[in-house]
Amino acid sequence: MAASQSRTFSLLAFFTFSILACASTVSSHNITQILTDSPDYSSFNSYLTQTKLADEINSRTTITVLVLNNGAMSSLAGKHPLSVIKSALSLLVLLDYYDPLKLHGLSKGTTLSTTLYQTTGNAPGNLGFVNITDLKGGKVGFGSAASGSKLDSSYTKSVKQIPYNISILEIDAPIIAPGVLTAPAPSAAVSNITGLLEKAGCKTFAGLLVSSGVLKTYESAIDKGLTVFAPSDEAFKAEGVPDLTKLTQAEVVSLLEYHALAEYKPKGSLKTNKNNITTLATSGVGKFDLTTSTSGDEVILHTGVAPSRLADTVLDATPVVIFTVDSVLLPAELFGKSKSISPAPAPAPETAEAPSPAEGPSPTAASPPAPPTDDAPDSAPSDSPAGSAKSKSANAAVGVSSPSLFTLLVTFAAVTVSVSLRF
């Protein structure tokens, strides 16, 4: 019996190690680390970091990156504003998995693929799609899906694949959609922060920025990077929001500064964030920092008092990004348990006509609906590659999560122990 139990526990240990090894290979990818091993892509890799596209790529589970070597990047590098380069590189990130075998096995020899540029909301028509065409003879062409566009870029070689997680392919030239490189610099839009906020339904927040003088603090941070979390007008009317008239001027300033970061941190960067985030208020008394969590494609901001959901992107123009949030961010340093929160006074009742007893209070306005999840690719890969020497060493992208892994291990342990007790 002792020998049987020994064999059982040995088998359990081996099985556990095997699953852990498998999970570690499919849990995530890091485009920056992958490209670091290839100096030919140093310029491309640098711009992925500067534009924060690397964070967006790393936050997705099925993706193809069309990389440019340093020679091909020379047509973009240093010749356009960073916001324009970000748009151009976004067209090289496909929201589906393509390896060499899939490129040469396209149904009907051609397909349109959704790119990261399409998710920005700045791509009307087919500007956010890429045309991929198998030209036979080993050649595959890429071009904008916009009407009249040519296949100006060609596949040159495979760089790395982790099926079906990430595929990295080299192409010989940028894919240029009409109007992308000629887009105006965002300076005009960024210079009118209050106008953008008012148009996005954040008039209360915009007014507070002006009356408190914090708007100047925001504007002074623009050149080096600025991220704004603007509560909607409905957020200020929500139950539990403190009466701002009870705050001192210094506290109002800290509250408003708490709604901004002195860095460019778009949604992809927030999704992959693991650390505390410092705000413009952090330099004052206390920490005044934020943490984040995700649920699908949603980003949740945590203050230590109450969470707030990232609702919409008002502007994403490197190095400035402005979001709307569905709740006022309440820092624990001002509204923690040690300090009571005085709710804002209710508006005076109308004197024209009193409501009948049957009538209840009007419901609190709901926050805007959650944005659609865009993590999933347009369609699951329909054909599994036979596997090259590079891809055979990698596991299929099965996405083993920690809870699933724990459940599997516990189930296996229970079964094996149960069997061992029979002998």
Side-chain angles (χ1 to χ4, degrees), residues 260-301:
L261 318 177
E263 61 176 319
Y264 174 62
K265 212 168 186 67
K267 188 175 181 180
S269 299
L270 293 171
K271 286 166 68 177
T272 58
N273 175 69
K274 303 297 181 185
N275 303 314
N276 287 7
I277 301 174
T278 58
T279 67
L280 288 179
T282 300
S283 59
V285 179
K287 293 193 299 184
F288 286 94
D289 56 9
L290 293 166
T291 59
T292 59
S293 65
T294 59
S295 176
D297 191 53
E298 285 191 352
V299 174
I300 312 297
L301 304 174

Side-chain angles (χ1 to χ4, degrees), residues 138-407:
K139 295 183 179 181
V140 178
F142 294 84
S144 170
S147 178
S149 298
K150 298 180 180 179
L151 300 175
D152 291 329
S153 182
S154 298
Y155 164 71
T156 52
K157 67 178 182 179
S158 169
V159 178
K160 185 178 180 64
Q161 282 81 44
I162 304 177
Y164 292 98
N165 188 355
I166 184 171
S167 177
I168 304 174
L169 308 173
E170 182 187 287
I171 57 176
D172 63 0
I175 300 171
I176 304 301
V180 169
L181 295 185
T182 57
S187 56
V190 171
S191 63
N192 186 18
I193 293 178
T194 54
L196 290 170
L197 293 175
E198 290 173 357
K199 188 176 180 180
C202 303
K203 292 182 179 180
T204 302
F205 184 67
L208 288 170
L209 290 179
V210 174
S211 62
S212 65
V214 174
L215 178 61
K216 293 182 179 179
T217 304
Y218 280 25
E219 291 173 339
S220 66
I222 287 177
D223 290 341
K224 293 183 179 181
L226 176 68
T227 301
V228 178
F229 304 114
S232 64
D233 291 336
E234 296 299 327
F236 280 98
K237 300 175 184 178
E239 184 178 356
V241 174
D243 182 1
L244 301 186
T245 63
K246 300 288 183 68
L247 300 180
T248 66
Q249 175 66 16
E251 288 174 334
V252 171
V253 169
S254 294
L255 176 64
L256 296 176
E257 290 180 342
Y258 188 64
H259 285 74
L261 318 177
E263 61 176 319
Y264 174 62
K265 212 168 186 67
K267 188 175 181 180
S269 299
L270 293 171
K271 286 166 68 177
T272 58
N273 175 69
K274 303 297 181 185
N275 303 314
N276 287 7
I277 301 174
T278 58
T279 67
L280 288 179
T282 300
S283 59
V285 179
K287 293 193 299 184
F288 286 94
D289 56 9
L290 293 166
T291 59
T292 59
S293 65
T294 59
S295 176
D297 191 53
E298 285 191 352
V299 174
I300 312 297
L301 304 174
H302 300 275
T303 68
V305 175
S308 182
R309 182 181 63 90
L310 224 64
D312 294 301
T313 302
V314 177
L315 175 73
D316 186 351
T318 313
V320 177
V321 60
I322 300 176
F323 299 105
T324 57
V325 292
D326 63 2
S327 301
V328 178
L329 302 181
L330 303 177
E333 289 77 10
L334 294 179
F335 307 106
K337 294 182 179 179
S338 61
K339 182 171 183 177
S340 60
I341 301 177
S342 300
E350 296 181 5
T351 57
E353 182 178 354
S356 64
E359 292 177 348
S362 60
T364 303
S367 58
T373 300
D374 56 12
D375 281 291
D378 294 338
S379 60
S382 58
D383 53 337
S384 300
S388 62
K390 291 182 181 179
S391 64
K392 285 182 180 179
S393 61
N395 295 291
V398 294
V400 179
S401 63
S402 295
S404 300
L405 177 59
F406 178 77
T407 302

Side-chain angles (χ1 to χ4, degrees), residues 39-115:
D40 288 345
Y41 308 122
S42 60
S43 179
F44 184 89
N45 201 13
S46 174
Y47 276 104
L48 288 185
T49 300
Q50 292 179 57
T51 59
K52 306 294 185 178
L53 283 174
D55 292 331
E56 185 66 46
I57 292 170
N58 293 339
S59 72
R60 295 177 178 269
T61 55
T62 304
I63 205 160
T64 299
V65 182
L66 305 175
V67 299
L68 302 170
N69 63 28
N70 294 338
M73 269 299 295
S74 63
S75 63
L76 295 174
K79 297 180 179 179
H80 302 279
L82 200 57
S83 59
V84 171
I85 294 178
K86 180 176 183 178
S87 296
L89 296 187
S90 295
L91 282 166
L92 305 184
V93 182
L94 312 181
L95 305 187
D96 201 349
Y97 181 86
Y98 291 91
D99 61 7
L101 289 179
K102 187 171 181 178
L103 288 181
H104 294 294
L106 296 174
S107 176
K108 299 180 181 179
T110 186
T111 189
L112 297 184
S113 184
T114 308
T115 71

